[in-house]
Amino acid sequence: MFSGHIIKSIIRKLTEIFESSGLKTARQKYSYTSSGRTYAGENVYAILHAPRGDATEAIVLVAGWLNDDGELNQSGIAIVLTLARYFKRWSLWSKDIIFLITADSRAGPQAWVDAYHDAQSSSAVGPLPLKSGALQGAVIVDYPFSHRFDSLHIIYDGINGQLPNLDLTNTAVSIASGQMGIAATLQKMWKHKDTYKDRLDTMLRGMTKQALGHASGPHSSFIPYHVDAITLQAVGEGWHDEMAMGRTIESIFRSLNNLLEHFHQSFFFYLLMQANRFVSIGTYLPSAMLIAINFTIMAIALWVQSGRPPTRNIASTAFKEKRATTEVELIKKDGMVAIAPVRGIMVAERKLFLPLSFVICVHLCGVIPLYSFNHSSGKVLTSSSSSSSSSFFK
């Protein structure tokens, strides 16, 4: 999208803005190939050391230069740079704050968070020159236009169905709708009327994303590392401006700053029906367990039945009757005597080689789609988003 000279100028200018705010600044380069595409770029980040902290915990504020739809995140970048200067003036912070500007909204955050936890590929992703403490939370800003917005779309779905702690989502909803008067929406339900149909639609959309396991935004890269993260996306045209978005982020960071320990009290497994309504794991898990138990009970019953000899049907007609003789056996045990049919106490031989071989072959066949997905080009694979996450610095 931009030439190499312009890219270097952008990186240098972002670094100068962070340094002029009195923050320690560093860069990170990455370049790797995935699904037939090359993702290359350079992340810029700055660390605000907490005046009242000991650098053991940190919060991350992220903005991709390009958002998930490939649009220039112009207002999002401006908000992050402004808040970096604004937060520096405060002395109330007990946790370090990391301001991260990534090249795009997929490869950049993934490369940065991998390197932060020393889980990156040394040949493809560069290390981080500066680090802070354990990440307690992350907030991503997606504001790709300059006009006022109508509502705040909160994106929370992670990779492989992982979700952030519900307290983080509730905090964002409470601050946006309660304090700032900004409508909070979920799962692209822009006109949620709080009806049964809209609740069901929202819940099914969330279940579908969890089942597919796709990444839904930059926040998805943080959740596998047990870092609760959400994306705040400005949508529509209304009367809320950048000031309202900045105040919302400020309140969320002040709430995270007051945490005495990591999020753990609320739910990690839930289904959201609306911004203020959810279904907890204690409600939907029993029904799922009952369905699973049915398969187990049926499998045990079939296993027991397979050990019994087959029964013979005795056919009788008006012209000819055939009476079958049943062999019996005398059983003595513990001073008691019983007569039982021989067929009832016989155990049939189970031939397990064929079914076990079939099950093993079916499991091994799962390697075929796994290999295909990992080595196929991104052009032949359907994406969960409307556009690909091609790198800005490509």
Side-chain angles (χ1 to χ4, degrees), residues 72-91:
L72 182 62
N73 190 15
Q74 48 183 324
S75 297
I77 297 294
I79 289 174
V80 172
L81 295 176
T82 304
L83 289 178
R85 184 183 297 271
Y86 179 64
F87 286 172
K88 177 64 176 178
R89 303 173 184 175
W90 288 30
S91 61

Side-chain angles (χ1 to χ4, degrees), residues 145-221:
F145 43 81
S146 58
H147 59 77
R148 297 170 182 261
F149 65 95
D150 177 63
S151 60
L152 200 61
H153 185 219
I154 300 177
I155 310 174
Y156 58 92
D157 307 281
I159 302 174
N160 297 327
Q162 293 178 307
L163 300 174
N165 192 277
L166 186 58
D167 280 342
L168 179 59
T169 306
N170 289 339
T171 300
V173 172
S174 177
I175 292 173
S177 59
Q179 299 181 14
M180 303 303 303
I182 305 175
T185 59
L186 305 172
Q187 303 297 343
K188 298 183 179 180
M189 294 291 293
W190 314 127
K191 302 297 182 181
H192 200 295
K193 299 179 181 179
D194 201 16
T195 60
Y196 176 80
K197 180 179 179 300
D198 289 343
R199 294 179 190 174
L200 181 62
D201 193 2
T202 305
M203 184 178 66
L204 291 179
R205 291 187 183 191
M207 293 174 62
T208 302
K209 288 187 177 180
Q210 292 183 40
L212 294 176
H214 292 304
S216 58
H219 64 281
S220 301
S221 302

Side-chain angles (χ1 to χ4, degrees), residues 250-269:
E250 173 200 348
S251 298
I252 294 176
F253 268 68
R254 293 183 64 177
S255 300
L256 295 175
N257 183 68
N258 293 332
L259 285 176
L260 298 180
E261 52 189 1
H262 198 80
F263 280 124
H264 69 281
Q265 291 289 351
S266 190
F267 298 97
F268 286 95
F269 302 96

Side-chain angles (χ1 to χ4, degrees), residues 220-293:
S220 301
S221 302
F222 291 85
I223 298 179
Y225 290 97
H226 304 287
V227 180
D228 301 302
I230 57 174
T231 295
L232 303 180
Q233 183 182 41
V235 295
E237 293 188 17
W239 58 278
H240 303 289
D241 56 5
E242 294 87 347
M243 180 68 70
M245 175 68 84
R247 292 178 61 187
T248 301
I249 298 173
E250 173 200 348
S251 298
I252 294 176
F253 268 68
R254 293 183 64 177
S255 300
L256 295 175
N257 183 68
N258 293 332
L259 285 176
L260 298 180
E261 52 189 1
H262 198 80
F263 280 124
H264 69 281
Q265 291 289 351
S266 190
F267 298 97
F268 286 95
F269 302 96
Y270 51 86
L271 300 173
L272 290 177
M273 300 185 296
Q274 194 239 4
N276 297 313
R277 298 179 183 273
F278 74 99
V279 181
S280 68
I281 186 174
T283 303
Y284 68 81
L285 187 61
S287 59
M289 294 179 62
L290 290 176
I291 295 176
I293 289 175

Side-chain angles (χ1 to χ4, degrees), residues 108-131:
Q110 188 66 57
W112 188 87
V113 73
D114 286 344
Y116 194 91
H117 295 88
D118 296 324
Q120 83 279 16
S121 175
S122 58
S123 59
V125 180
L128 298 182
L130 294 177
K131 288 185 180 181

